[in-house]
mmCIF file of all heavy atoms in Angstrom:
data_model
loop_
_atom_site.group_PDB
_atom_site.id
_atom_site.type_symbol
_atom_site.label_atom_id
_atom_site.label_comp_id
_atom_site.label_asym_id
_atom_site.label_seq_id
_atom_site.Cartn_x
_atom_site.Cartn_y
_atom_site.Cartn_z
ATOM 1 N N ARG A 24 134.005 194.637 49.740
ATOM 2 C CA ARG A 24 135.415 194.386 50.071
ATOM 3 C C ARG A 24 136.242 194.134 48.811
ATOM 4 O O ARG A 24 137.365 194.626 48.680
ATOM 5 C CB ARG A 24 135.534 193.214 51.042
ATOM 6 C CG ARG A 24 135.179 193.574 52.467
ATOM 7 C CD ARG A 24 135.613 192.514 53.456
ATOM 8 N NE ARG A 24 135.157 191.174 53.131
ATOM 9 C CZ ARG A 24 133.971 190.666 53.492
ATOM 10 N NH1 ARG A 24 133.133 191.389 54.205
ATOM 11 N NH2 ARG A 24 133.633 189.437 53.161
ATOM 12 N N ALA A 25 135.672 193.377 47.893
ATOM 13 C CA ALA A 25 136.392 193.075 46.654
ATOM 14 C C ALA A 25 136.627 194.347 45.836
ATOM 15 O O ALA A 25 137.702 194.533 45.264
ATOM 16 C CB ALA A 25 135.617 192.042 45.828
ATOM 17 N N PHE A 26 135.630 195.231 45.796
ATOM 18 C CA PHE A 26 135.819 196.460 45.024
ATOM 19 C C PHE A 26 136.827 197.380 45.712
ATOM 20 O O PHE A 26 137.593 198.070 45.031
ATOM 21 C CB PHE A 26 134.493 197.179 44.771
ATOM 22 C CG PHE A 26 134.573 198.136 43.611
ATOM 23 C CD1 PHE A 26 134.672 197.655 42.314
ATOM 24 C CD2 PHE A 26 134.562 199.497 43.817
ATOM 25 C CE1 PHE A 26 134.773 198.528 41.236
ATOM 26 C CE2 PHE A 26 134.657 200.379 42.751
ATOM 27 C CZ PHE A 26 134.757 199.888 41.456
ATOM 28 N N CYS A 27 136.853 197.376 47.021
ATOM 29 C CA CYS A 27 137.894 198.124 47.742
ATOM 30 C C CYS A 27 139.276 197.608 47.354
ATOM 31 O O CYS A 27 140.205 198.392 47.124
ATOM 32 C CB CYS A 27 137.701 198.016 49.255
ATOM 33 S SG CYS A 27 136.400 199.061 49.909
ATOM 34 N N GLU A 28 139.394 196.292 47.279
ATOM 35 C CA GLU A 28 140.672 195.702 46.862
ATOM 36 C C GLU A 28 141.000 196.108 45.429
ATOM 37 O O GLU A 28 142.146 196.444 45.115
ATOM 38 C CB GLU A 28 140.626 194.180 46.978
ATOM 39 C CG GLU A 28 141.926 193.525 46.570
ATOM 40 C CD GLU A 28 141.897 192.014 46.646
ATOM 41 O OE1 GLU A 28 141.044 191.452 47.357
ATOM 42 O OE2 GLU A 28 142.737 191.399 45.964
ATOM 43 N N TYR A 29 140.002 196.078 44.546
ATOM 44 C CA TYR A 29 140.237 196.502 43.165
ATOM 45 C C TYR A 29 140.710 197.958 43.124
ATOM 46 O O TYR A 29 141.629 198.295 42.374
ATOM 47 C CB TYR A 29 138.977 196.329 42.306
ATOM 48 C CG TYR A 29 139.182 196.885 40.922
ATOM 49 C CD1 TYR A 29 139.945 196.193 39.998
ATOM 50 C CD2 TYR A 29 138.673 198.125 40.570
ATOM 51 C CE1 TYR A 29 140.191 196.717 38.742
ATOM 52 C CE2 TYR A 29 138.915 198.665 39.323
ATOM 53 C CZ TYR A 29 139.665 197.957 38.408
ATOM 54 O OH TYR A 29 139.922 198.484 37.168
ATOM 55 N N ARG A 30 140.105 198.814 43.912
ATOM 56 C CA ARG A 30 140.512 200.230 43.947
ATOM 57 C C ARG A 30 141.968 200.375 44.384
ATOM 58 O O ARG A 30 142.683 201.226 43.871
ATOM 59 C CB ARG A 30 139.628 201.018 44.918
ATOM 60 C CG ARG A 30 138.295 201.397 44.342
ATOM 61 C CD ARG A 30 137.405 202.024 45.373
ATOM 62 N NE ARG A 30 138.059 203.099 46.101
ATOM 63 C CZ ARG A 30 137.474 204.231 46.445
ATOM 64 N NH1 ARG A 30 136.214 204.435 46.127
ATOM 65 N NH2 ARG A 30 138.111 205.137 47.124
ATOM 66 N N ARG A 31 142.372 199.548 45.342
ATOM 67 C CA ARG A 31 143.746 199.647 45.880
ATOM 68 C C ARG A 31 144.795 199.165 44.884
ATOM 69 O O ARG A 31 145.813 199.808 44.697
ATOM 70 C CB ARG A 31 143.884 198.838 47.164
ATOM 71 C CG ARG A 31 143.434 199.548 48.406
ATOM 72 C CD ARG A 31 143.850 198.809 49.662
ATOM 73 N NE ARG A 31 143.460 197.410 49.696
ATOM 74 C CZ ARG A 31 142.266 196.960 50.084
ATOM 75 N NH1 ARG A 31 141.338 197.823 50.468
ATOM 76 N NH2 ARG A 31 141.993 195.675 50.096
ATOM 77 N N ASN A 32 144.548 198.005 44.270
ATOM 78 C CA ASN A 32 145.626 197.407 43.474
ATOM 79 C C ASN A 32 145.212 196.934 42.080
ATOM 80 O O ASN A 32 145.975 196.242 41.425
ATOM 81 C CB ASN A 32 146.284 196.262 44.250
ATOM 82 C CG ASN A 32 145.303 195.172 44.596
ATOM 83 O OD1 ASN A 32 144.260 195.050 43.967
ATOM 84 N ND2 ASN A 32 145.631 194.373 45.590
ATOM 85 N N ARG A 33 144.012 197.317 41.656
ATOM 86 C CA ARG A 33 143.497 196.969 40.318
ATOM 87 C C ARG A 33 143.563 195.458 40.049
ATOM 88 O O ARG A 33 143.847 195.023 38.944
ATOM 89 C CB ARG A 33 144.248 197.715 39.208
ATOM 90 C CG ARG A 33 144.139 199.224 39.267
ATOM 91 C CD ARG A 33 142.688 199.656 39.173
ATOM 92 N NE ARG A 33 142.540 201.057 38.870
ATOM 93 C CZ ARG A 33 142.288 202.001 39.772
ATOM 94 N NH1 ARG A 33 142.189 201.696 41.042
ATOM 95 N NH2 ARG A 33 142.144 203.245 39.403
ATOM 96 N N SER A 34 143.256 194.693 41.070
ATOM 97 C CA SER A 34 143.292 193.241 40.979
ATOM 98 C C SER A 34 142.161 192.720 40.090
ATOM 99 O O SER A 34 140.981 192.930 40.386
ATOM 100 C CB SER A 34 143.146 192.630 42.372
ATOM 101 O OG SER A 34 142.822 191.260 42.289
ATOM 102 N N PRO A 35 142.490 192.016 39.001
ATOM 103 C CA PRO A 35 141.441 191.431 38.166
ATOM 104 C C PRO A 35 140.629 190.375 38.927
ATOM 105 O O PRO A 35 139.435 190.202 38.663
ATOM 106 C CB PRO A 35 142.179 190.819 36.984
ATOM 107 C CG PRO A 35 143.624 191.025 37.212
ATOM 108 C CD PRO A 35 143.818 191.799 38.471
ATOM 109 N N ASP A 36 141.270 189.697 39.851
ATOM 110 C CA ASP A 36 140.550 188.695 40.643
ATOM 111 C C ASP A 36 139.481 189.359 41.513
ATOM 112 O O ASP A 36 138.375 188.841 41.652
ATOM 113 C CB ASP A 36 141.513 187.895 41.520
ATOM 114 C CG ASP A 36 142.431 186.999 40.699
ATOM 115 O OD1 ASP A 36 142.058 186.641 39.561
ATOM 116 O OD2 ASP A 36 143.515 186.664 41.202
ATOM 117 N N ALA A 37 139.820 190.498 42.087
ATOM 118 C CA ALA A 37 138.846 191.223 42.908
ATOM 119 C C ALA A 37 137.684 191.706 42.043
ATOM 120 O O ALA A 37 136.521 191.617 42.451
ATOM 121 C CB ALA A 37 139.514 192.396 43.610
ATOM 122 N N LEU A 38 137.984 192.205 40.853
ATOM 123 C CA LEU A 38 136.921 192.659 39.959
ATOM 124 C C LEU A 38 136.040 191.488 39.535
ATOM 125 O O LEU A 38 134.820 191.636 39.417
ATOM 126 C CB LEU A 38 137.505 193.361 38.738
ATOM 127 C CG LEU A 38 136.504 194.119 37.892
ATOM 128 C CD1 LEU A 38 135.811 195.211 38.685
ATOM 129 C CD2 LEU A 38 137.189 194.698 36.668
ATOM 130 N N ALA A 39 136.626 190.329 39.347
ATOM 131 C CA ALA A 39 135.843 189.131 38.998
ATOM 132 C C ALA A 39 134.870 188.781 40.118
ATOM 133 O O ALA A 39 133.731 188.376 39.848
ATOM 134 C CB ALA A 39 136.780 187.959 38.707
ATOM 135 N N VAL A 40 135.295 188.938 41.352
ATOM 136 C CA VAL A 40 134.402 188.681 42.489
ATOM 137 C C VAL A 40 133.226 189.657 42.455
ATOM 138 O O VAL A 40 132.068 189.266 42.630
ATOM 139 C CB VAL A 40 135.161 188.779 43.833
ATOM 140 C CG1 VAL A 40 134.202 188.770 45.017
ATOM 141 C CG2 VAL A 40 136.176 187.646 43.946
ATOM 142 N N VAL A 41 133.515 190.931 42.204
ATOM 143 C CA VAL A 41 132.450 191.934 42.121
ATOM 144 C C VAL A 41 131.475 191.549 41.013
ATOM 145 O O VAL A 41 130.260 191.575 41.209
ATOM 146 C CB VAL A 41 133.034 193.344 41.873
ATOM 147 C CG1 VAL A 41 131.922 194.349 41.601
ATOM 148 C CG2 VAL A 41 133.879 193.781 43.053
ATOM 149 N N TYR A 42 132.002 191.197 39.873
ATOM 150 C CA TYR A 42 131.146 190.819 38.739
ATOM 151 C C TYR A 42 130.276 189.608 39.106
ATOM 152 O O TYR A 42 129.067 189.609 38.879
ATOM 153 C CB TYR A 42 131.998 190.508 37.507
ATOM 154 C CG TYR A 42 131.168 190.186 36.298
ATOM 155 C CD1 TYR A 42 130.658 191.200 35.504
ATOM 156 C CD2 TYR A 42 130.865 188.865 35.964
ATOM 157 C CE1 TYR A 42 129.868 190.917 34.403
ATOM 158 C CE2 TYR A 42 130.086 188.579 34.872
ATOM 159 C CZ TYR A 42 129.587 189.600 34.096
ATOM 160 O OH TYR A 42 128.805 189.307 33.012
ATOM 161 N N ASP A 43 130.902 188.595 39.681
ATOM 162 C CA ASP A 43 130.158 187.382 40.055
ATOM 163 C C ASP A 43 129.050 187.681 41.057
ATOM 164 O O ASP A 43 127.989 187.072 41.025
ATOM 165 C CB ASP A 43 131.106 186.327 40.640
ATOM 166 C CG ASP A 43 132.031 185.717 39.598
ATOM 167 O OD1 ASP A 43 131.776 185.897 38.387
ATOM 168 O OD2 ASP A 43 133.025 185.085 40.001
ATOM 169 N N ARG A 44 129.297 188.623 41.968
ATOM 170 C CA ARG A 44 128.333 188.934 43.033
ATOM 171 C C ARG A 44 127.219 189.879 42.598
ATOM 172 O O ARG A 44 126.187 189.941 43.250
ATOM 173 C CB ARG A 44 129.048 189.561 44.238
ATOM 174 C CG ARG A 44 130.090 188.693 44.858
ATOM 175 C CD ARG A 44 129.465 187.534 45.560
ATOM 176 N NE ARG A 44 130.487 186.756 46.222
ATOM 177 C CZ ARG A 44 130.238 185.787 47.059
ATOM 178 N NH1 ARG A 44 129.007 185.463 47.370
ATOM 179 N NH2 ARG A 44 131.224 185.115 47.600
ATOM 180 N N THR A 45 127.447 190.650 41.524
ATOM 181 C CA THR A 45 126.465 191.687 41.190
ATOM 182 C C THR A 45 125.858 191.584 39.797
ATOM 183 O O THR A 45 124.797 192.149 39.559
ATOM 184 C CB THR A 45 127.107 193.092 41.322
ATOM 185 O OG1 THR A 45 128.205 193.195 40.414
ATOM 186 C CG2 THR A 45 127.568 193.357 42.743
ATOM 187 N N SER A 46 126.488 190.895 38.884
ATOM 188 C CA SER A 46 126.059 190.942 37.485
ATOM 189 C C SER A 46 124.667 190.367 37.249
ATOM 190 O O SER A 46 123.926 190.875 36.395
ATOM 191 C CB SER A 46 127.072 190.242 36.583
ATOM 192 O OG SER A 46 127.161 188.873 36.910
ATOM 193 N N VAL A 47 124.278 189.345 37.980
ATOM 194 C CA VAL A 47 122.950 188.748 37.768
ATOM 195 C C VAL A 47 121.854 189.753 38.107
ATOM 196 O O VAL A 47 120.898 189.928 37.338
ATOM 197 C CB VAL A 47 122.795 187.446 38.590
ATOM 198 C CG1 VAL A 47 121.369 186.940 38.540
ATOM 199 C CG2 VAL A 47 123.763 186.383 38.080
ATOM 200 N N ARG A 48 122.011 190.444 39.223
ATOM 201 C CA ARG A 48 120.993 191.439 39.607
ATOM 202 C C ARG A 48 121.022 192.645 38.673
ATOM 203 O O ARG A 48 119.970 193.191 38.317
ATOM 204 C CB ARG A 48 121.171 191.865 41.057
ATOM 205 C CG ARG A 48 120.708 190.751 42.005
ATOM 206 C CD ARG A 48 120.743 191.187 43.421
ATOM 207 N NE ARG A 48 122.119 191.045 43.910
ATOM 208 C CZ ARG A 48 122.484 191.151 45.162
ATOM 209 N NH1 ARG A 48 121.595 191.441 46.079
ATOM 210 N NH2 ARG A 48 123.728 190.989 45.520
ATOM 211 N N LEU A 49 122.209 193.065 38.260
ATOM 212 C CA LEU A 49 122.298 194.171 37.315
ATOM 213 C C LEU A 49 121.629 193.802 35.995
ATOM 214 O O LEU A 49 120.895 194.606 35.411
ATOM 215 C CB LEU A 49 123.752 194.567 37.069
ATOM 216 C CG LEU A 49 124.482 195.248 38.212
ATOM 217 C CD1 LEU A 49 125.954 195.437 37.861
ATOM 218 C CD2 LEU A 49 123.845 196.573 38.552
#
Side-chain angles (χ1 to χ4, degrees):
R24 283 194 308 273
F26 200 71
C27 283
E28 180 181 340
Y29 175 75
R30 280 173 50 140
R31 276 191 307 276
N32 60 21
R33 298 301 195 261
S34 164
D36 292 336
L38 192 60
V40 170
V41 172
Y42 183 84
D43 290 346
R44 300 290 184 171
T45 61
S46 63
V47 172
R48 286 186 278 190
L49 290 174

